[in-house]
């Protein structure tokens, strides 16, 4: 189909890069190099992840203390922004002059 369109000097119907009968893209040298580089990086990542430094039992909960400390720091900064508690007895203490009725 593409050879006929090329020889007859007609354009390819529709978008030539999309669709069911699209024109196949040529794979360039740089595309091959980039793919090899990505595959080598993936192989290296697989190598380093295949032999972990910590065992599964050592890894479980290893950062619990650090995470708890970070959470307490965030909680303390959030609580520092709030005003102190105001009790109802403190708010209405000026009305408590005499207690004749009790």
């Amino acid at each position: 189909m593409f050879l006929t369109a090329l020889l007859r000097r007609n354009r390819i119907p529709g978008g030539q890069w999309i669709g069911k009968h699209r024109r196949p893209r040529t794979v360039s040298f740089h595309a091959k190099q980039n793919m090899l580089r990505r595959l080598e990086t993936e192989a290296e990542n697989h190598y380093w992840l295949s032999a972990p430094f910590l065992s599964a039992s050592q890894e479980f909960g290893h950062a619990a203390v650090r995470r708890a400390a970070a959470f307490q720091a965030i909680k303390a900064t959030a609580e520092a922004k709030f005003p102190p508690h105001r009790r109802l007895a403190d708010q209405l203490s000026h009305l408590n002059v005499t207690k004749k009725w009790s």
Side-chain angles (χ1 to χ4, degrees), residues 11-12 14 18 20-21 30 41 50 55 60 66 72 80:
R11 54 184 291 273
I12 295 172
I18 59 173
K20 182 178 179 183
H21 301 290
H30 294 292
T41 304
S50 65
S55 66
F60 180 75
R66 179 184 53 81
Q72 290 298 329

Side-chain angles (χ1 to χ4, degrees), residues 21-62:
H21 301 290
R22 62 179 170 247
R23 181 175 162 194
R25 291 184 58 188
T26 58
V27 180
S28 67
F29 176 73
H30 294 292
K32 290 178 187 177
Q33 275 188 329
N34 291 338
M35 179 58 79
L36 282 175
R37 190 176 303 121
R38 284 197 300 268
L39 288 173
E40 288 170 356
T41 304
E42 186 176 347
E44 185 180 358
N45 290 341
H46 179 71
Y47 169 75
W48 287 113
L49 293 174
S50 65
F53 183 73
L54 298 175
S55 66
S57 61
Q58 290 173 330
E59 187 178 2
F60 180 75
H62 76 282

Side-chain angles (χ1 to χ4, degrees), residues 2-15:
F2 299 114
L3 181 61
T4 306
L6 182 69
L7 292 176
R8 293 183 61 215
R9 295 190 180 121
N10 290 339
R11 54 184 291 273
I12 295 172

Side-chain angles (χ1 to χ4, degrees), residues 59-81:
E59 187 178 2
F60 180 75
H62 76 282
V65 176
R66 179 184 53 81
R67 289 181 70 232
F71 175 72
Q72 290 298 329
I74 292 170
K75 187 176 171 185
T77 57
E79 287 177 356
K81 295 178 184 176

